[in-house]
Amino acid sequence: HTRYWRDWSSDVCSSDLDDAAFAVEAALRAAGFPDAVCSFQLDPASGAVTLSVEAGPRCVLEEVELLGEPKLLPRSQLALLFEGPRLGLLGRGEPVFVETRVRSAPRAIVREYRARGHLEAAVSEPVIELSEDRMRARVTVTIEEGPRRTLGVVRAADPRTEQAVPGFDELVEALTAVDASGERPPFTPRVPVALKGEVLERLARAGHPDATAIVRVAEPDAGGRVDLEVSADPGPRVRIEAVRFEGDERTDPEFLASRSTLEAGDRWDVRAERRSTARLYETGFYTRVDSRLEGDGEERDLVYLLEARPTREVWVEPGYGSYERLRLRLGARDRNFMGTGQTLKWEAAAAQRALRSTLALVNPWFLREELISDLSVEFNRRELPSFVNQRVGTGAFVTREWDEDGRSATSLGYQFRATRALDVEVGAGAPDSLGDDQEANIASLRLAHTIERRDSPLVPRSGWFAQGSVEAADRALGSELAFTRLVLSGSRLLPLTDDLVLAGALRGGVALPRGEDELPLQERFFNGGENAVRAFQETRLGPADAAGNPVGGEASLTANLELRQDLWSRGVHAALFVDAGSVSLDALDWLSPEDPRWGWGVGLRYLLPIGPLRLDLGLNPEPRAGEDEWVLHLSVGMPF
């Protein structure tokens, strides 16, 4: 007898307690305690809830006796349907007795037999015998297999049916094929239904929307064989006279027509009509899409009935970053800009140390293919410890998504950006080329590939992510600098228990200048901060001048390992992490950095609709002159 008290922070009604008691009782009985009884009592004065549990003895299933002469299925296979979970190491002990499983097993056995053609199979209700101490159970059932029905001859009722149904002979051959042992396929009530559906489907694919079919079932012969006879009336073969769209006056008819795989003059095909409906749904513009043929005879109109949904949205999202401080994100999007099916999106973010704005026009069906075109203009200004990074740019990209949900994609495009490093504070001890304000116009081609296999983009708990990109800037493209940049990143999440997740990430980049060119400050790699090595302030890990101002490098590496623990019904997470990273002045030292640094720390995360509010405390085990022993980061979103 066990009692458990807990103070409830909200009102509890008796029905809630009854449901909880039933759930606990059901769980115990499923674990082999057939006499388990559970109840809850609530003290209205104190708010305390008492749970009373009488588990009783645990009962194992000692024997399952199968009477009759079951031959079709092995007795050992049938007995498994009665058994509950097994005890012992690795579940290799005796099975426990679960009454609900025992009583449902006869229905499962009957389904197995009927699926194999024994339409008259019957199984008696189980007889359950418990030992005096109620710790062992014996079950007895009687099985009557009955005769087996097999599929005999399948024929067309008349030559017209055989000629009208495409591939009728192949259909019959596949349906009546014998297995490796020479057994004919079983006959079940589903067989004539499936045959009729396949006949109508083939006629619809051939352009006959009004086709009808009848499958007649003969009485079984002495050997149990059942013959089938099919008759079909195909009706007229229809051609599309016109394609119309009703219910959406805003969208350009030419765009709607591009989503239909059927045009005027095409032979009607049910597969093409279904694909057209799916393509209209894929736009995201409609809550419902129906299609129908209008008219009679061989020339008919194909009509799509559309129920539109709102396609315009505006959002305001506050945020905070340990470096940028308070920030506000604004945005507006029209997913059906001017009825063209394209998306016009504007997004801006203002923070104490940063200002960003982007305007993009996205066409999800570029050249009427499964390609996404993206034209964008952006402005980005960010204050860094040793300079102000300012960029104005534009880009044109084409993306191919390799799966339906866009979790694997490749993009290729051209980008141009006018970059400036302002208020540069780099002095003695830094490369000579980094000491003054710098400007550079950079034009490049960029190829990127992304694979997303995490279970959630905001708070992932399992799966993996990988992304790689290569950028080539050259004077032939209109660039003032020539270089090649490679950036790789990946993460893996491994759930250890229901509440514990091990997460790891590896990120790196290298830029190789060509000829006599050198990378300006605004194109170099930096490390340290809330999403990198968290034991350092923003950009503070890596090479610096004599005054401690970071100068970046041509290459960077970052590795993160984090243990995440759920607290309080997954509303709060705790984390223990280790980060390591480096910045190399020379790209050739990318994979063998001379001065790698590391740190460790702890964190708390509180889940919000926009992502987790994250507080990380990073500790530097070997701080150098000018470095902090610990750094506190407050931000929104997971580090990786």
Side-chain angles (χ1 to χ4, degrees):
H1 184 76
T2 304
R3 292 183 181 274
Y4 176 71
W5 291 269
R6 175 175 177 178
D7 290 333
W8 295 78
S9 59
S10 61
D11 293 337
V12 179
C13 63
S14 59
S15 61
D16 295 329
L17 298 180
D18 289 341
D19 290 344
F22 177 80
V24 173
E25 189 175 294
L28 285 169
R29 295 191 177 193
F33 297 91
D35 299 322
V37 176
C38 175
S39 63
F40 277 90
Q41 294 84 35
L42 171 66
D43 184 351
S46 63
V49 175
T50 303
L51 164 65
S52 299
V53 177
E54 294 285 353
R58 194 169 210 172
C59 185
V60 298
L61 184 59
E62 185 177 38
E63 182 184 358
V64 177
E65 185 179 5
L66 303 175
L67 302 180
E69 296 184 0
K71 299 176 182 178
L72 180 65
L73 298 174
R75 289 176 177 267
S76 58
Q77 180 180 342
L78 294 173
L80 287 175
L81 297 173
F82 294 85
E83 296 178 359
R86 288 183 173 267
L87 303 174
L89 183 64
L90 301 178
R92 302 185 65 84
E94 293 181 292
V96 299
F97 169 71
V98 181
E99 185 174 356
T100 54
R101 186 171 177 85
V102 168
R103 295 202 178 278
S104 64
R107 292 191 296 274
I109 293 174
V110 169
R111 285 196 297 270
E112 289 286 341
Y113 271 99
R114 292 182 178 176
R116 289 165 169 78
H118 291 260
L119 305 185
E120 300 172 15
V123 181
S124 68
E125 286 294 317
V127 177
I128 301 171
E129 300 178 18
L130 296 178
S131 61
E132 291 186 6
D133 58 5
R134 303 186 70 80
M135 296 182 65
R136 310 193 75 80
R138 296 180 73 254
V139 175
T140 304
V141 296
T142 301
I143 298 177
E144 297 180 4
E145 289 185 341
R148 184 170 186 259
R149 303 287 186 246
T150 58
L151 186 60
V153 177
V154 178
R155 65 173 67 87
D158 52 68
R160 181 188 179 194
T161 296
E162 191 170 356
Q163 295 171 2
V165 180
F168 183 80
D169 291 339
E170 292 82 358
L171 173 61
V172 171
E173 183 178 350
L175 192 65
T176 59
V178 299
D179 60 19
S181 64
E183 288 285 339
R184 298 188 64 82
F187 173 81
T188 70
R190 294 178 57 88
V191 171
V193 176
L195 176 59
K196 177 181 177 180
E198 181 64 24
V199 168
L200 292 177
E201 176 70 14
R202 290 175 179 243
L203 289 171
R205 292 178 181 180
H208 301 276
D210 302 329
T212 59
I214 298 175
V215 177
R216 297 180 178 87
V217 181
E219 290 294 326
D221 61 16
R225 292 190 179 186
V226 180
D227 295 340
L228 303 180
E229 185 180 77
V230 184
S231 61
D233 179 5
R237 194 177 187 192
V238 172
R239 189 177 298 276
I240 304 300
E241 184 174 8
V243 178
R244 304 201 316 268
F245 301 88
E246 298 180 359
D248 183 7
E249 304 299 330
R250 182 187 175 206
T251 305
D252 186 346
E254 290 189 8
F255 170 74
L256 293 175
S258 72
R259 305 309 299 158
S260 175
T261 56
L262 288 170
E263 301 178 353
D266 289 346
R267 184 72 66 184
W268 179 81
D269 185 334
V270 68
R271 292 170 298 178
E273 182 176 327
R274 291 170 186 158
R275 177 58 183 151
S276 299
T277 300
R279 284 164 59 90
L280 286 165
Y281 266 121
E282 288 169 2
T283 64
F285 302 162
Y286 307 107
T287 57
R288 184 174 179 179
V289 178
D290 292 324
S291 58
R292 69 179 182 222
L293 290 171
E294 288 189 353
D296 299 313
E298 297 183 356
E299 299 286 335
R300 304 186 190 181
D301 291 351
L302 176 60
V303 181
Y304 294 97
L305 306 175
L306 311 173
E307 290 186 8
R309 60 157 39 113
T311 59
R312 295 170 180 168
E313 57 184 330
V314 177
W315 66 88
V316 178
E317 183 181 298
Y320 186 88
S322 59
Y323 180 74
E324 293 183 353
R325 308 286 176 85
L326 290 173
R327 57 179 173 232
L328 184 67
R329 180 169 165 259
L330 308 173
R333 175 166 50 197
D334 185 348
R335 293 184 293 111
N336 191 9
F337 179 61
M338 298 183 68
T340 61
Q342 302 182 69
T343 297
L344 182 67
K345 180 174 69 174
W346 170 78
E347 188 172 338
Q352 292 178 248
R353 292 177 174 171
L355 183 63
R356 294 182 287 273
S357 181
T358 303
L359 182 65
L361 181 63
V362 181
N363 184 357
W365 301 278
F366 183 58
L367 299 178
R368 294 194 177 187
E369 300 291 337
E370 299 302 319
L371 298 173
I372 303 172
S373 68
D374 188 332
L375 302 174
S376 63
V377 178
E378 67 165 346
F379 171 83
N380 195 330
R381 178 184 175 91
R382 194 164 190 259
E383 298 178 14
L384 297 173
S386 54
F387 70 102
V388 174
N389 189 351
Q390 181 172 299
R391 179 174 71 248
V392 179
T394 184
F397 285 85
V398 175
T399 300
R400 169 67 187 269
E401 295 181 344
W402 301 101
D403 40 29
E404 292 184 359
D405 54 5
R407 292 165 64 86
S408 178
T410 303
S411 63
L412 174 65
Y414 173 87
Q415 56 187 9
F416 178 87
R417 58 185 182 271
T419 67
R420 302 181 67 185
L422 306 174
D423 302 333
V424 176
E425 298 180 1
V426 173
D432 295 338
S433 61
L434 304 181
D436 301 316
D437 290 2
Q438 301 167 63
E439 297 184 11
N441 294 329
I442 298 174
S444 63
L445 295 176
R446 183 174 180 270
L447 174 67
H449 185 70
T450 300
I451 304 176
E452 173 65 88
R453 294 295 182 267
R454 294 175 296 185
D455 60 343
S456 167
L458 292 180
V459 188
R461 299 183 57 82
S462 63
W464 57 279
F465 169 84
Q467 185 177 59
S469 67
V470 58
E471 178 187 9
D474 196 90
R475 287 178 172 80
L477 300 172
S479 179
E480 296 178 353
L481 299 175
F483 62 86
T484 301
R485 184 193 306 271
L486 175 67
V487 178
L488 300 172
S489 64
S491 63
R492 179 74 169 91
L493 296 107
L494 181 64
L496 303 180
T497 68
D498 289 342
D499 300 323
L500 189 64
V501 175
L502 180 63
L506 183 63
R507 290 164 285 180
V510 59
L512 296 166
R514 297 199 296 273
E516 300 298 324
D517 291 339
E518 295 187 10
L519 288 180
L521 271 174
Q522 63 270 30
E523 293 296 325
R524 298 170 76 86
F525 291 97
F526 293 85
N527 205 330
E530 61 193 41
N531 295 322
V533 181
R534 285 163 281 184
F536 292 83
Q537 298 280 6
E538 185 83 5
T539 74
R540 291 292 185 178
L541 187 156
D545 65 7
N549 297 309
V551 299
E554 294 179 349
S556 174
L557 272 176
T558 304
N560 310 92
L561 190 64
E562 187 168 281
L563 196 62
R564 301 170 181 172
Q565 173 68 51
D566 293 341
L567 303 175
W568 302 309
S569 301
R570 296 188 179 181
V572 177
H573 294 179
L576 177 65
F577 60 83
V578 177
D579 301 330
S582 66
V583 176
S584 303
L585 284 172
D586 194 326
L588 298 179
D589 298 328
W590 181 36
L591 299 179
S592 56
E594 296 181 356
D595 188 25
R597 306 294 302 280
W598 73 283
W600 67 280
V602 294
L604 282 175
R605 292 84 193 269
Y606 178 67
L607 301 188
L608 299 172
I610 58 174
L613 179 64
R614 177 163 55 96
L615 182 66
D616 287 334
L617 175 64
L619 303 173
N620 187 344
E622 299 174 349
R624 300 174 184 175
E627 294 180 349
D628 298 317
E629 294 183 2
W630 58 272
V631 179
L632 190 64
H633 299 285
L634 179 63
S635 58
V636 176
M638 287 293 191
F640 55 88

